């Protein structure tokens, strides 16, 4: 036995734990995980200190085992993906967030704003895969009126009536409202009337005021993001939630972020999916920071699954994680890979080397080879059944 193997063997001999009710026995050499495992098996809520212990445990495989247990309890082997297309109507943005490589100041030669016709054409390109979702987010443009976005959505609904429109982060919604001198509720109602069906999870970043003041100081603060989500849910919108990790946040900031989301979810039940987003530093003012490692990404997926006990889904966004890590994440708590995407700008401007899109076949292969069952879903997680020429959604 080599020395590191011996060390592992001794540790596991010390603290091997059989958890009642588990189909297999849970083993860990980290004694702090034992009471956490007992709570997970008993379907009890984890508290702040326990969340912290999951981030700090050296036994990441045991943390992953627990997360996988929860994932299988909720979803068995089912693993979701969807056929979507991202549309970013403008990269012009007043916010100048240090975390971002996508946004450009007004007047910057690399700034762009799509004419409405161009945005509708972008939506149509890549339509060969019969998309079920348009995912629309963009910069906080200083001059574009709310009407531009309403017309954009109306035009999409006219041209692609069967496609779900998941559009505008809580940050964009709050910005539209301020510019149009409307309340958040009034703005949300106008967006709904135009055809917005649900909202993506972006812009949450990390709720800690200390970190937010450094990485995205001109954005709405964490409590405004949460309040906008709360209002959207109360009006009947479903949304997602994200957390940007791997920059200057602490473990405490991460747990705090997850618990704040969990509290809103207790109240509204409006979040569908949580998507942890690893920070990509390239081409941002924070490019001196290192990229996250595979184990950090995998652990983040697992801790999210364990702390967010009231979120139905945890997404391993393959564009951000790479397809290889996203595939492994399917055994560490994730049950969703996101979708075909077709054209991705936010991560690719920040140096992502992943492909811009994947086909249904490629996504299914990743899932099947992870020993899971691929299920194509629509945005609201109804299974999609396809024939050669069309698709139907089981509701
Ligand atoms: O809000 C921006 C993040 C988000 C960088 O809801 C960066 O289904 C890393 O929210 N490095 C936008 N991250 C993406 C997003 C999303 C993606 C996929 C699915 C869904 C969904 C939502 O990307 C931003 C910000 O948190 N981001 N710049 C960067 N350099």
């Amino acid at each position: 036995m080599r020395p590191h193997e011996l060390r592992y063997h001794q540790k596991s001999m010390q603290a091997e734990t059989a958890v009642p009710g588990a189909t297999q026995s849970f083993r860990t050499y980290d004694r702090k995980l034992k009471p956490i495992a007992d709570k997970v098996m008993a379907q009890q809520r984890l508290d702040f200190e326990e969340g912290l212990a999951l981030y700090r445990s050296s036994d990441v495989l045991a943390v992953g085992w627990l997360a996988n247990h929860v994932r299988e309890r909720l979803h068995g082997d089912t693993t979701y993906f969807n056929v979507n297309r991202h549309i970013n109507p403008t990269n012009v943005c007043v916010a100048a967030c240090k975390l971002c490589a996508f946004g450009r100041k007004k007047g910057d030669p690399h700034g762009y704003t799509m004419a409405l016709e161009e945005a509708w054409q972008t939506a149509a390109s890549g339509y060969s895969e019969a998309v079920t979702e348009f995912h629309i987010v963009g910069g906080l443009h200083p001059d574009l009126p709310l009407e531009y976005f309403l017309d954009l959505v109306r035009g999409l609904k006219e041209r692609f009536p069967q496609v779900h429109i998941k559009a505008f982060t809580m940050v964009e919604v709050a910005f539209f409202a301020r510019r149009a001198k409307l309340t958040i509720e009034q703005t949300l109602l106008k967006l709904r009337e135009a055809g917005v069906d649900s909202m993506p999870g972006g812009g949450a970043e990390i709720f800690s005021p200390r970190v937010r003041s450094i990485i995205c100081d001109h954005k709405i603060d964490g409590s405004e993001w949460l309040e906008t989500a709360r209002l959207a849910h109360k009006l009947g919108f479903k949304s997602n939630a994200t957390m940007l990790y791997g920059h200057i946040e602490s473990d405490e900031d991460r747990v705090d972020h997850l618990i704040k989301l969990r509290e809103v979810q207790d109240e509204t039940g409006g979040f569908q999916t949580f998507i942890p987003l690893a920070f990509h530093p390239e081409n941002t003012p924070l490019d001196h920071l290192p990229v996250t490692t595979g184990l950090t990404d995998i652990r983040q997926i697992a801790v999210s699954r364990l702390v967010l006990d009231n979120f139905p889904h945890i997404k391993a966004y393959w564009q951000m994680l790479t397809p290889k890590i996203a595939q492994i994440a399917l055994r560490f708590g994730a049950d969703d890979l996101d979708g075909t995407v077709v054209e991705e700008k936010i991560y690719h401007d920040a140096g992502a080397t992943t492909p811009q899109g994947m086909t249904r076949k490629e996504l299914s292969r990743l899932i099947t080879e992870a020993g899971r069952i691929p299920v194509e879903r629509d945005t609201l997680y109804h299974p999609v059944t396809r024939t050669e020429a069309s698709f139907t959604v089981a509701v």
Side-chain angles (χ1 to χ4, degrees):
M1 210 178 260
R2 284 187 297 238
H4 74 277
E5 285 170 347
L6 180 65
R7 206 164 50 241
Y8 184 88
H9 180 72
Q10 285 168 342
K11 280 180 178 172
S12 49
M13 291 301 287
Q14 282 163 15
E16 189 169 309
T17 303
V19 179
T23 47
Q24 288 167 265
S25 63
F26 167 77
R27 290 186 179 79
T28 184
Y29 55 76
D30 178 356
R31 289 184 178 279
K32 289 203 181 122
L33 286 184
K34 162 80 175 83
I36 297 178
D38 290 342
K39 283 179 86 172
V40 170
M41 296 301 163
Q43 302 190 35
Q44 287 167 7
R45 176 157 280 192
L46 302 183
D47 65 21
F48 188 94
E49 291 304 325
E50 289 158 342
L52 215 47
L54 292 171
Y55 276 119
R56 294 187 175 163
S57 175
S58 59
D59 196 354
V60 70
L61 287 181
V63 174
W65 189 95
L66 287 173
N68 188 54
H69 178 82
V70 174
R71 181 255 198 254
E72 290 184 358
R73 186 165 73 208
L74 291 170
H75 304 290
D77 280 327
T78 297
T79 300
Y80 297 99
F81 70 97
N82 72 343
V83 177
N84 61 354
R85 203 215 193 285
H86 283 208
I87 305 169
N88 306 118
T90 180
N91 66 351
V92 176
C93 190
V94 295
C97 297
K98 287 201 175 60
L99 67 92
C100 184
F102 170 71
R104 293 282 185 280
K105 282 267 165 258
K106 185 180 158 186
D108 184 308
H110 298 291
Y112 73 85
T113 299
M114 292 179 183
L116 289 176
E117 198 57 52
E118 194 187 340
W120 298 325
Q121 272 167 24
T122 302
S125 60
Y127 196 64
S128 57
E129 278 254 325
V131 299
T132 60
E133 170 189 284
F134 292 133
H135 169 126
I136 309 172
V137 295
L140 307 179
H141 196 295
D143 304 327
L144 283 179
L146 177 58
E147 271 311 311
Y148 166 91
F149 296 97
L150 299 176
D151 287 343
L152 169 68
V153 172
R154 284 189 199 109
L156 287 173
K157 270 290 173 209
E158 256 168 55
R159 287 163 180 78
F160 313 99
Q162 72 281 35
V163 178
H164 181 107
I165 299 186
K166 183 181 79 182
F168 312 126
T169 64
M170 303 308 160
V171 175
E172 288 168 276
V173 172
F175 183 75
F176 297 160
R178 212 179 63 215
R179 280 214 68 229
K181 298 192 171 42
L182 297 172
T183 64
I184 303 278
E185 268 146 323
Q186 288 166 333
T187 309
L188 286 165
L189 289 171
K190 278 182 180 282
L191 291 169
R192 182 157 71 193
E193 213 181 301
V196 171
D197 297 301
S198 70
M199 269 132 206
E205 318 311 0
I206 198 99
F207 295 137
S208 150
R210 175 190 69 86
V211 179
R212 237 178 149 79
S213 72
I214 297 168
I215 66 167
C216 56
D217 54 343
H218 299 309
K219 250 180 202 170
I220 53 172
D221 66 24
S223 56
E224 286 170 293
W225 190 98
L226 290 161
E227 182 54 18
T228 308
R230 197 181 272 119
L231 290 170
H233 297 168
K234 288 194 170 155
L235 291 177
F237 284 106
K238 291 284 183 192
S239 83
N240 293 335
T242 56
M243 177 177 89
L244 187 73
Y245 67 94
H247 40 91
I248 55 163
E249 84 289 2
S250 63
D251 291 340
E252 285 85 352
D253 294 329
R254 294 182 190 177
V255 181
D256 172 71
H257 189 96
L258 296 177
I259 288 181
K260 287 201 162 83
L261 288 173
R262 192 169 75 180
E263 284 166 2
V264 172
Q265 180 74 335
D266 275 343
E267 219 181 295
T268 69
F271 290 120
Q272 299 204 106
T273 311
F274 178 69
I275 311 139
L277 297 169
F279 178 54
H280 283 227
E282 207 175 309
N283 301 327
T284 75
L286 299 173
D287 64 358
H288 56 284
L289 295 175
V291 294
T292 60
T293 63
L295 273 184
T296 298
D297 293 339
I298 288 295
R299 183 197 296 270
Q300 182 55 56
I301 293 278
V303 178
S304 308
R305 182 60 288 166
L306 291 166
V307 175
L308 294 175
D309 53 16
N310 53 4
F311 271 60
H313 304 283
I314 303 292
K315 188 185 284 187
Y317 181 39
W318 67 266
Q319 284 271 2
M320 174 274 286
L321 286 174
T322 75
K324 289 184 181 185
I325 297 284
Q327 185 187 38
I328 295 169
L330 299 181
R331 304 211 75 92
F332 280 74
D335 62 283
D336 191 328
L337 280 185
D338 199 79
T340 50
V341 179
V342 184
E343 193 183 6
E344 201 285 332
K345 293 190 202 293
I346 296 173
Y347 279 89
H348 287 83
D349 284 355
T353 54
T354 49
Q356 290 264 335
M358 268 209 261
T359 60
R360 287 208 320 273
K361 205 166 148 201
E362 286 167 325
L363 286 164
S364 293
R365 177 169 165 253
L366 279 183
I367 295 168
T368 308
E369 289 195 2
R372 300 299 198 194
I373 301 165
V375 173
E376 186 184 335
R377 61 163 177 90
D378 70 358
T379 311
L380 301 176
Y381 287 83
H382 304 120
V384 173
T385 315
R386 294 199 179 251
T387 60
E388 277 299 301
S390 65
F391 62 86
T392 51
V393 176
V395 277

